Amino acid sequence: MEKRIVIKGAYGDANFGDDALMCTIENFFVSEDLGLNTVFCGTTSDYCGRLLQKSGYIDISKNKMPAADVLIYGGGTQFFLFDSNKGSFYLKFFLKLLKSDPKLLLLKVKTKISGKRTVPAEKYVGLGLGLGPFNPENNRIEYIKSLVRQMDLLFVRDPTSLSYCKDWGCHDADEGADVCFSRFMNYDKPVRINGADLHIGPKRRKIGVIVRDWKYENGGNGYQKVLLKMIDELKNSDYEFTFIVFSVRDSNWKKLLDEGMYPYVEWDPSTGQIAGFMDTLDGFDGFITARYHGGVFASVLNKPAVCIGIEPKLSILAEQIKGFTLWDSPFSEDDLKQAMKVFDNENFDCSDSVNMLREKADAMFESLRTYLCDLQ
């Protein structure tokens, strides 16, 4: 009988980064042809089926729990605690979920009462996970530690996440890389090397501005006004700015862009494909990004990027990719203009950094292949 592999992530939210994670992991299973029954699970979705090639998809908000031989936490930042679990935050979360997704709320309540996982499995694997940050006032950290300690195979995507594992006694954890750095991303279009496509002289440089609504720490959405002011001031400069919306959940930004009549492109998973949107991104000369995977894809395309430090993983990525710059809190206009000097580097080339991360990501997948083969 085929082993059933369930891959869990923040799938189904119409977020390009998470959709790319899902498709990259499925590319691994399709290309390796391990004879396994693979099913992805996430939130309510009417589009994941069209993005997936052969795998099934389960809406985890339904009461039926999908049992698995192996549950793989498939990339992304799945373990974090931005808020305290004191005060009004969880009441607001409860009321929001009651209105938007009562089935998911019911499942969470049942899971909390029973003490069972939403996806019961014989074995647990973490693949390219990002851990943290963790609010010290949130006592759910012990629950997260217990989940991480139970994993039979665990790869995290960066040194900070690995440090959490070591502190928690998970000494078998390994440092891999983000799933989308692996060869299974399957985006093989030749990329610019050493500034070959970076427009010099009178032609304006096309800069993609990847935005994100942010309500948590480190200034929240404080970067919005400064970013828009700077773009308005540089409207007739050597730069041509186009906003990029990765997720339908960035409704506040979309409202600002519509009201200000700013040009933007948007990921639409109901009609688009991963490679097609990557082609769109490849049309830019550089990026300013408030999304982690915006920086990942910029590096894969060998484009310069300014990472907006609204959360730690963006500053981590800016350290991992040689040549990337960081625009951090308190998000001053002068600091942003200083960070944007990366776009003036005619010899920008981050391919060495990307190749090192690709080696780590590919080794991570090879370990997963060996692990799954040994189970059969």
Side-chain angles (χ1 to χ4, degrees), residues 7 9 14 25 30 35 55 122 191 194 198 207 209 223 242 269-270 325 369:
I7 305 99
I25 293 172
V30 171
S55 305
E122 296 293 326
V191 298
N194 294 327
L198 192 60
I207 305 300
V209 184
Y223 76 96
T242 300
S270 65
T325 56
R369 188 191 70 79

Side-chain angles (χ1 to χ4, degrees), residues 147-200:
L147 288 181
V148 173
R149 289 184 187 126
Q150 290 175 38
M151 292 192 187
D152 302 281
L153 181 69
L154 175 58
F155 280 91
V156 294
R157 71 182 177 199
D158 56 70
T160 300
S161 298
L162 186 63
S163 179
Y164 280 120
C165 293
K166 301 303 183 186
D167 290 344
W168 298 345
C170 306
H171 298 296
D172 290 334
D174 289 301
E175 183 184 340
D178 188 83
V179 163
C180 291
F181 280 117
S182 77
R183 70 180 187 275
F184 299 106
M185 178 71 185
N186 285 7
Y187 189 74
D188 299 324
K189 186 174 180 178
V191 298
R192 175 181 52 78
I193 299 295
N194 294 327
D197 291 337
L198 192 60
H199 300 308
I200 307 300

Side-chain angles (χ1 to χ4, degrees), residues 19-283:
D19 291 340
L21 288 171
M22 178 181 72
C23 292
T24 300
I25 293 172
E26 197 205 19
N27 289 341
F28 160 76
F29 282 102
V30 171
S31 64
E32 295 301 310
D33 193 21
L34 300 176
L36 299 167
N37 175 15
T38 56
V39 178
F40 287 79
C41 71
T43 58
T44 304
S45 166
D46 56 1
Y47 73 83
C48 284
R50 67 173 296 275
L51 291 180
L52 293 168
Q53 305 167 62
K54 297 181 178 180
S55 305
Y57 187 84
I58 293 176
D59 174 4
I60 202 170
S61 67
K62 294 181 179 178
N63 294 330
K64 183 179 179 181
M65 293 186 182
D69 293 295
V70 180
L71 171 64
I72 299 175
Y73 289 93
T77 313
Q78 297 196 43
F79 300 101
F80 60 90
L81 295 170
F82 281 112
D83 295 281
S84 163
N85 57 353
K86 301 174 183 178
S88 61
F89 171 77
Y90 277 92
L91 175 60
K92 292 178 181 178
F93 177 76
F94 177 90
L95 294 174
K96 181 180 179 180
L97 208 55
L98 179 64
K99 181 179 179 180
S100 64
D101 200 338
K103 289 183 178 179
L104 181 57
L105 176 61
L106 178 61
L107 178 62
K108 286 182 177 291
V109 171
K110 284 186 174 182
T111 302
K112 182 69 174 177
I113 293 173
S114 67
K116 297 179 180 178
R117 293 176 183 247
T118 53
V119 183
E122 296 293 326
K123 302 285 185 178
Y124 297 93
V125 169
L127 188 69
L129 292 178
L131 304 180
F134 299 101
N135 188 313
E137 295 185 358
N138 195 314
N139 57 25
R140 291 190 71 249
I141 183 66
E142 295 304 322
Y143 172 70
I144 290 176
K145 288 180 183 179
S146 69
L147 288 181
V148 173
R149 289 184 187 126
Q150 290 175 38
M151 292 192 187
D152 302 281
L153 181 69
L154 175 58
F155 280 91
V156 294
R157 71 182 177 199
D158 56 70
T160 300
S161 298
L162 186 63
S163 179
Y164 280 120
C165 293
K166 301 303 183 186
D167 290 344
W168 298 345
C170 306
H171 298 296
D172 290 334
D174 289 301
E175 183 184 340
D178 188 83
V179 163
C180 291
F181 280 117
S182 77
R183 70 180 187 275
F184 299 106
M185 178 71 185
N186 285 7
Y187 189 74
D188 299 324
K189 186 174 180 178
V191 298
R192 175 181 52 78
I193 299 295
N194 294 327
D197 291 337
L198 192 60
H199 300 308
I200 307 300
K203 190 167 184 178
R204 303 178 77 192
R205 300 178 189 178
K206 296 179 63 178
I207 305 300
V209 184
I210 304 171
V211 293
R212 182 177 189 178
D213 287 356
W214 194 249
K215 62 181 180 180
Y216 300 108
E217 60 183 8
N218 211 13
N221 276 331
Y223 76 96
Q224 283 184 339
K225 290 182 180 179
V226 179
L227 182 60
L228 288 170
K229 180 175 181 291
M230 187 276 302
I231 287 175
D232 288 337
E233 290 177 353
L234 297 178
K235 187 175 296 183
N236 297 316
S237 70
D238 292 336
Y239 300 114
E240 177 185 340
F241 296 98
T242 300
F243 287 88
I244 303 171
V245 179
F246 267 26
S247 172
V248 294
R249 291 185 179 273
D250 294 321
S251 56
N252 184 43
W253 260 110
K254 285 188 65 176
K255 182 180 178 181
L256 286 173
L257 298 177
D258 287 333
E259 290 175 349
M261 300 181 68
Y262 293 97
Y264 70 91
V265 295
E266 181 179 9
W267 165 243
D268 182 358
S270 65
T271 58
Q273 294 289 343
I274 301 299
F277 199 70
M278 286 293 290
D279 286 343
T280 298
L281 297 180
D282 194 36

